[in-house]
Amino acid sequence: MSGFEFNGDWSGRVVATAIHAGHAVRPDLADRMVLPEDVRFREEDPFTDLIGSGVAARAVAHTSRFEVDLNRPRDGAVYRSPDEAWGLDIWRDPPLDPAAVEQSLVTYDAFYREIGARFDELAARGPFVVFDVHSYNHRRDGATAAESPLADNPEINVGTGSLNRDRFGTVADAFIASFAAQDIPGQAETGRLDVRENVRFKGANLARWTHEHYPDTGIVLALEFKKTFMDEWTGEADHARIDALAAALAATVPDVEAALDALSSRSRT
């Protein structure tokens, strides 16, 4: 299997990416890995490809971030030590040899080359939006421990740290308002999602790279979904919840496209 794939219809203006959804590790690295598979799975972003599946254009990584992290700068995309991986011991007899690192970076370079070619086509047609879909753990103290405080852990964190908000803030605002207004079965008392901006995460390399390469057209919203759609300790998915989140995310696309239209109209006047 390739380290990543592009799916769907890329003729529109909205893309969903799931670049931490992968779990695959190539055999030579798997033989050197001491990180337990269940711990690795807990630190990946499983099922985020399904959350973005209702968006027409999609990019999905199959390679684990523990082989190569597509959301870090190239020189830090391969975790070499616990300091680069939340204190986790990953490798037997570290550090990795340079040849192994370079082999992992082949996937990194190919991903950015190929998504760049697709973004070139989108940018040629005007502003475009990327839903960069990730997830985060909220029960780090254990399976039976209380979840992290709601004040600092929104259901969806929208990262816009590298976004030019003076230019594209209306698009971000339209998305946040639209997503927060979606009805989600079983969602608290109101049925509405807790969507907040830059509370826990501000976005990372894919967002920065896109904003640097497409400053006049690229709009990345780095979406961190709290893992209420799965049991982060057993890995079991709540597929009804995933389907509801996927439908809610897809339902924001018309509002985002309307904001893009308004942005284009203003730029022509």
Side-chain angles (χ1 to χ4, degrees), residues 191-210:
R192 301 298 170 83
L193 291 167
D194 173 21
V195 184
R196 285 178 274 160
E197 187 175 0
N198 296 331
V199 175
R200 282 204 48 163
F201 308 95
K202 295 185 178 181
N205 192 68
L206 179 61
R208 287 192 296 268
W209 181 89
T210 304

Side-chain angles (χ1 to χ4, degrees), residues 218-240:
I219 304 166
V220 180
L221 304 176
L223 310 181
E224 292 276 356
F225 286 76
K226 186 160 61 174
K227 287 183 178 177
T228 58
F229 57 84
M230 65 179 292
D231 185 319
E232 66 190 59
W233 286 92
T234 67
E236 182 179 358
D238 179 347
H239 284 285

Side-chain angles (χ1 to χ4, degrees), residues 23-24 33-44 66:
H23 187 63
M33 190 171 281
V34 297
L35 184 70
E37 187 170 5
D38 63 330
V39 176
R40 174 159 64 90
F41 191 72
R42 189 161 61 246
E43 298 299 337
E44 294 163 342
F66 287 90

